Amino acid sequence: MRVVYLLSRESAALETLTDPLALAVSDWDGAHREHLALARRTAEAAMWQDAQAVALLLWPSPTGGDNTPAARLTTLEERIARLEAFGVFETLLVAPTPPEAPDADAALAWLRGLGELRALLTEARPREALARLWPAGLAEAARAAGIAVEQEGDASGESERIRGLVEAGRMREATAALGYAYTLTGEVVGGDRRGRLLGFPTANLRAEPSKLTPGDGIYAAWAWLPGDRTAWPAAISVGVRPTFGQGARRQVEAHLLDVTMDLYGLQLRLAFVDWLRAELRFESVEALIEQMNADREHSRRILRAETTDAD
């Protein structure tokens, strides 16, 4: 899959896109099962229209209701990788999010500037920034210009639902909706080494700040080290460590069950498998250590069962 970055919405003409286009428009956040369905419909349209299947991704992602960056299920790099994994699109166009909604004629003119547009596909009710590129009347204007238009599904609504699942720690449901385990990737940074003193060394993850962090609690997870294809079992803590009165600063800490090495400075990838329990405040360090031992064994049982199911 070729990735083409459009630096400006004012100059949409692309000499590189010489073949007719079946264009799929979405924010692709999560690149989940609803998005896969849209991709497959685009492939069918491309076949019938004798065109190439092309995806259009608006970036940066839309802001939240308070004009702050919306929590994302995927970074740009992750979206590109997932779209490539679909195995459908010949080209991905990454275009700037429009600052305001154009009228239907202006939006259609910009889209047609991408190439010979034969089919245009999106979800039934485009939302947020996507709606800025798909104003009222666009579908009718496109059909009048002889372009096949299909609007079906609710990919943005599904992304919102999955965000709710991740925030609630319902990782198995999120995995079923996404079609893959939700991940966080980031650099391992220094902490207060309290976990090491307790006999549970942890890797403190500095993840992409705009990416959604799962809700507070303890999780079973898989971890990958740079350049290593081995998935290591892990127990992850997300929260504020109330036993030690660390205040409101949330942290993501991973305890790798079968690895003892210095991870500082490395990029660690974590895939959340299941929620174990809520974050708790313990009356003593001894009680915390007892629970951490139980969490470690609980994680191991869950992940061992995952491996057995995969076999």
Side-chain angles (χ1 to χ4, degrees), residues 57-77:
L57 186 160
L58 298 177
W59 191 265
S61 287
T63 58
D66 58 355
N67 206 35
T68 58
R72 302 166 186 160
L73 296 170
T74 40
T75 64
L76 178 59
E77 293 77 12

Side-chain angles (χ1 to χ4, degrees), residues 1-4 17 52-56 89-93:
M1 183 182 72
R2 175 178 51 165
V3 181
V4 177
L17 295 181
Q52 61 170 316
V54 177
L56 177 63
F89 296 114
E90 298 174 53
T91 302
L92 169 64
L93 303 177

Side-chain angles (χ1 to χ4, degrees), residues 28-48:
W28 306 106
D29 189 19
H32 47 66
R33 294 185 186 277
E34 282 285 334
H35 289 126
L36 177 58
L38 174 59
R40 287 173 173 167
R41 292 197 300 273
T42 306
E44 293 174 0
M47 180 181 65
W48 286 109

Side-chain angles (χ1 to χ4, degrees), residues 15-37:
E15 295 181 359
T16 53
L17 295 181
T18 56
D19 295 331
L21 311 181
L23 185 68
V25 182
S26 179
D27 68 358
W28 306 106
D29 189 19
H32 47 66
R33 294 185 186 277
E34 282 285 334
H35 289 126
L36 177 58

Side-chain angles (χ1 to χ4, degrees), residues 189-254:
V189 297
D192 57 16
R193 296 180 178 265
R194 194 181 298 275
R196 186 177 299 276
L197 294 174
L198 297 176
F200 296 84
T202 60
N204 301 305
L205 199 72
R206 183 165 61 197
E208 167 64 43
S210 62
K211 183 165 178 179
L212 181 64
T213 298
D216 290 356
I218 312 301
Y219 298 84
W222 295 109
W224 286 266
L225 302 173
D228 187 354
R229 299 184 63 181
T230 302
W232 298 98
I236 299 176
S237 170
V238 179
V240 298
R241 302 191 299 177
T243 299
F244 299 106
Q246 294 296 315
R249 188 168 67 90
R250 298 181 76 219
Q251 298 185 63
V252 178
E253 300 177 280

